[in-house]
């Protein structure tokens, strides 16, 4: 067990060490500039997206998860953050068309710089992690499926939130954030 834990920890450390800092800062700047933030991901990427959205909400951002019943329509100057290991799906293609029509901003968090959707993104945050596709450019991992990508995205997006809160002019205090945490659990 100890060996597995240490191997996974080292894998994630290596992935995060190879993230382009400029791309991470660019996403942070888009978060600060956005009127509203929308987050989308499918499957486990969607779970990472929900965690990201919750933390943004705690930080005082106006944020919604695509597909939830209370999510409003995206508009000009809003930001859609798509989390997708592959960077491609029918749903992503559809969302991109809506974002373009509404003149909103699109950011993609992905392992794949080769997808066609990249050209429509104002920001791409490349996460050099393994996915369930095990493409030749992906690193080796002892983990199944897209675990390495999911774990790396979770920590990377948490880091971006911390950075963003430090840079935002109207950053919330710990007590303010704590007060935004649900009290119905």
């Amino acid at each position: 067990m100890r060996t597995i834990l240490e191997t996974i920890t080292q894998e994630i450390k290596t992935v995060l060490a190879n993230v382009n800092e400029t791309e991470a800062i660019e996403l942070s700047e888009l978060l600060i500039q956005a009127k509203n933030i929308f987050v989308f991901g499918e499957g486990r990427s969607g779970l990472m997206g929900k965690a990201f959205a919750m933390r943004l909400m705690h930080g005082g951002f106006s944020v919604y998860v695509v597909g939830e019943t209370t999510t409003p329509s995206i508009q000009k100057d809003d930001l859609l953050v798509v989390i997708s290991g592959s960077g491609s799906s029918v749903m992503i293609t559809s969302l991109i068309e809506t974002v373009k029509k509404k003149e909103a901003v699109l950011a993609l968090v992905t392992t794949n710089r080769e997808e066609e959707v990249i050209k429509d993104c104002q920001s791409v945050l490349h996460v050099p992690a393994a996915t369930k596709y095990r493409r030749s450019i992906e690193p080796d991992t002892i983990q199944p499926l897209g675990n390495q990508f999911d774990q790396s995205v979770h920590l990377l997006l948490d880091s971006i939130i911390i950075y963003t809160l430090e840079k935002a002019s109207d950053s919330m205090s710990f007590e303010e954030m704590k007060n935004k945490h649900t009290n119905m659990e």
Side-chain angles (χ1 to χ4, degrees):
M1 178 59 76
R2 179 65 48 207
T3 302
I4 292 170
L5 287 169
E6 289 173 1
T7 301
I8 290 171
T9 302
Q10 186 55 51
E11 286 181 6
I12 302 307
K13 185 176 180 180
T14 301
V15 170
L16 295 176
N18 287 299
V19 168
N20 181 316
E21 183 180 17
T22 302
E23 292 175 358
I25 291 170
E26 186 176 88
L27 178 55
S28 171
E29 290 169 353
L30 290 176
L31 294 170
I32 291 170
Q33 296 166 8
K35 182 178 177 188
N36 296 297
I37 301 164
F38 294 79
V39 179
F40 173 78
E42 295 174 292
R44 293 187 303 177
S45 293
L47 294 174
M48 298 304 102
K50 286 182 177 184
F52 179 55
M54 181 179 68
R55 286 166 175 77
L56 286 170
M57 178 275 296
H58 289 151
F61 291 87
S62 173
V63 60
Y64 304 95
V65 174
V66 175
E68 297 293 328
T69 57
T70 57
T71 301
S73 61
I74 196 166
Q75 301 297 322
K76 184 177 178 163
D77 299 325
D78 289 341
L79 170 66
L80 172 62
V81 179
V82 173
I83 303 166
S84 172
S86 69
S88 65
S89 76
V90 174
M91 185 67 175
I92 291 173
T93 304
S94 174
L95 288 172
I96 288 171
E97 291 309 310
T98 301
V99 166
K100 286 172 28 179
K101 285 179 194 170
K102 293 297 181 177
E103 299 179 43
V105 177
L106 177 63
L108 177 63
V109 180
T110 187
T111 65
N112 193 352
R113 292 185 186 276
E114 299 170 7
E115 279 301 317
E116 185 68 20
V117 298
I118 299 292
K119 69 177 178 27
D120 294 313
C121 299
Q122 284 74 26
S123 173
V124 176
L125 177 55
H126 179 249
V127 183
T131 66
K132 64 184 175 190
Y133 300 105
R134 295 301 196 267
R135 293 171 299 147
S136 61
I137 62 170
E138 296 177 6
D140 290 331
T141 180
I142 66 165
Q143 300 183 70
L145 302 170
N147 287 17
Q148 190 184 70
F149 174 73
D150 300 330
Q151 294 158 357
S152 299
V153 163
H154 183 80
L155 293 174
L156 176 58
L157 293 178
D158 269 1
S159 298
I160 290 171
I161 291 168
I162 293 166
Y163 178 89
T164 302
L165 291 173
E166 288 176 355
K167 296 298 178 188
S169 59
D170 57 347
S171 185
M172 297 179 72
S173 70
F174 174 80
E175 281 302 315
E176 290 171 313
M177 290 172 64
K178 189 173 149 189
N179 287 334
K180 289 188 74 67
H181 194 280
T182 186
N183 58 6
M184 295 183 285
E185 54 183 16

